[in-house]
Amino acid sequence: MKRLAVYCGSSMGNDPAFAGTARALGAEMARRGIELVYGGGRLGLMGVVADSVLAAGGRAHGVIPKALIDLEVAHEGLTELHIVTSMHERKAKMTELTDAFVALPGGIGTFDELFEAWTWNALGYHAKPFALLNVSGFWDGLIAFLDHTTASGFMSPARRAQLLVAEEIGEAIDALDSAAKASERKMVW
């Protein structure tokens, strides 16, 4: 895995573990030589993970819609900043640039990005893996809801199993890397 898309909040949330994990994730990505792909902002967890990657000597690629440059305050110190016209174009560009996706705590934007990546995978637009990094149990309610959705017959167990869940950074990166390599092998003709 050369690049990892990180979906996360443009705010910090109210648990210091959120920013601590974003910081540690960025440092671990740089240590492993994994480049960051993310929403291009410098605020909140988005800015923390990008600053951490850059401070550790890594590379960070941001993708931000023109309309959000001021709202999310575009990060000016990135390796590369792609300015796009819409959220749809942002998500498509991030998907193009990455090998896998991980979601840290965040709000509706993070949910939208995660579920669109999952939906595009289900539709065959890409075969890239995705995971939740379950910081301080942040994703517990969503995980329970997805299990309920599966038990109610609206999602197959195989589709539900696609969403990897990890409690630790190394566990998340290793699972995504393994799944990305397996996906690449399946795509070889």
Side-chain angles (χ1 to χ4, degrees):
M1 180 171 58
K2 294 180 177 91
R3 289 184 178 172
L4 177 60
V6 177
Y7 298 143
C8 58
S10 59
S11 64
M12 298 295 269
N14 59 11
D15 183 338
F18 300 156
T21 300
R23 193 172 298 105
L25 174 62
E28 182 64 12
M29 288 173 63
R31 187 186 74 74
R32 293 185 186 212
I34 299 170
E35 297 180 11
L36 170 66
V37 175
Y38 85 114
R42 70 172 172 86
L43 299 178
L45 298 183
M46 290 171 60
V48 171
V49 73
D51 288 343
S52 180
V53 165
L54 294 167
R59 296 173 57 86
H61 308 271
V63 183
I64 192 167
K66 188 170 180 53
L68 294 182
I69 287 175
D70 292 332
L71 183 64
E72 291 184 351
V73 188
H75 198 299
E76 296 178 2
L78 301 175
T79 307
E80 186 174 43
L81 180 63
H82 299 269
I83 299 172
V84 296
T85 58
S86 67
M87 287 297 291
H88 178 75
E89 190 178 346
R90 177 194 228 178
K91 292 178 284 188
K93 185 66 173 177
M94 290 176 72
T95 300
E96 173 191 324
L97 292 173
T98 196
D99 300 310
F101 310 86
V102 66
L104 292 172
I108 60 172
T110 302
F111 307 154
D112 174 55
E113 290 167 330
L114 171 68
F115 280 105
E116 188 151 323
W118 195 351
T119 300
W120 286 4
N121 178 284
L123 295 173
Y125 297 162
H126 71 77
K128 299 171 183 184
F130 37 91
L132 298 175
L133 188 49
N134 196 19
V135 182
S136 297
F138 180 82
W139 295 111
D140 287 350
L142 177 64
I143 293 164
F145 177 73
L146 294 171
D147 291 342
H148 170 72
T149 301
T150 302
S152 297
F154 289 100
M155 184 185 318
S156 72
R159 181 76 61 221
R160 169 61 187 88
Q162 285 184 302
L163 179 62
L164 306 171
V165 178
E167 305 294 324
E168 302 294 329
I169 291 167
E171 176 190 5
I173 292 174
D174 292 344
L176 287 166
D177 188 46
S178 179
K181 287 176 181 167
S183 183
E184 287 173 12
R185 285 192 297 274
K186 287 180 189 175
M187 296 182 75
V188 174
W189 298 49

